[in-house]
Structures are given as C-alpha cells and as structure tokens.
Amino acid sequence: MRRLADGDRAALADAFDRFAPTLTRSAWAQADTPDDARALVQDTFLTLWQQAATIGLVTGALLPWLLVVCRDHARGQARRTAEHESLPGADPLHWVRDEIAALAPTDRQLVDLCLVDGHSYAEAARLLGLRAQPVTKRSSRTRQEKAVMHDEH
C-alpha cells in the first residue's frame, strides 16, 4: 500500500496480477454482461489507484477492500442498467441471446433442449441421436469457453 500511495505503477501492476483473477470472478457474479464484469474490474483498480494515498486498511488486507469497492461499482452499474432498461425496446438478456446464437448448431439445439425445454443431457442426446457422454462433454466445454475463469489481462 505504501508503494501504491507513492504512485508506484509497478505496485499497481503487482496488485492487479495478484487480485484480478479473484476480482474478475466476483465481478462476473455481479455483472449483467462480460463487458460489464471487465468494466467493474477496471473501475475497481482505477479507484484503488486514485485513492491509494487515503485508504486505511483495518486488517492490512487489500482484497476485502477491492471486493467491497467492486460491489459498490456493481450497484452503481445496476442502477444505470435499470434506468436504461426502463427505456422502450431494451432487452436485458441480449448478450445471452447473442452468445447462444454464436454457438454451433448442435450446441444451440442442446441449449434449447436442456435449458429451455428442461430435458436432461441423456434425453437431449437421445433426441439428437447422440451418445450421452459426448453431450455432457460438449456442454461442459461450452460453459468453460464462456466463463470468466482466467486472468484476461
């Protein structure tokens, strides 16, 4: 914190490298879109940089402070989103629909059968003429490709 308070950019980079993965997962859980999650992380580290000289960490641990700041930014983002969604024609789930539309045809069918129609993977596999194990692996791979599980900086 002393290095950050002194304006040491390397200290900010060190903090980012150390805490960005955890903060990104937290932001993902609070955000409406992947871009919103990235913006939350960016805004949180910007706040850290701007307020480093005045931050008093009770326990000496930076991560709890970052998580609270991220939550506060998420609340502000949610307010702005709610205001935007009250406009006519706004679709709050457009990014989910876009992600599903970008899937391969078989994966889109799996989404429809499992998530929309409520079929199990085994039932969806049978309906598509596939074996159950490849369907489970395909679904798992699709979730992993879409999840924010790695450090994207």
Side-chain angles (χ1 to χ4, degrees), residues 107 110 121 131-144:
D107 292 335
L110 285 171
Y121 289 143
R131 292 182 325 168
Q133 185 177 12
V135 167
T136 303
K137 285 183 181 181
R138 179 183 292 260
S139 299
S140 176
R141 183 188 71 237
T142 300
R143 281 193 308 272
Q144 288 172 355

Side-chain angles (χ1 to χ4, degrees), residues 43-116:
D43 291 347
T44 300
F45 279 101
L46 178 61
T47 301
L48 171 64
W49 181 249
Q50 292 171 335
Q51 296 181 10
T54 61
I55 296 170
L57 300 175
V58 176
T59 65
L62 181 57
L63 182 59
W65 185 89
L66 290 169
L67 291 169
V68 168
V69 170
C70 183
R71 184 200 63 209
D72 291 345
H73 282 302
R75 287 178 177 165
Q77 192 180 73
R79 274 192 308 276
R80 290 186 298 278
T81 299
E83 291 167 3
H84 177 264
E85 288 174 359
S86 66
L87 300 173
D91 179 10
L93 295 177
H94 68 88
W95 67 276
V96 174
R97 297 181 217 298
D98 292 346
E99 292 291 332
I100 292 171
L103 294 173
T106 302
D107 292 335
R108 280 196 310 270
Q109 289 176 309
L110 285 171
V111 167
D112 285 340
L113 290 170
C114 295
L115 298 179
V116 177

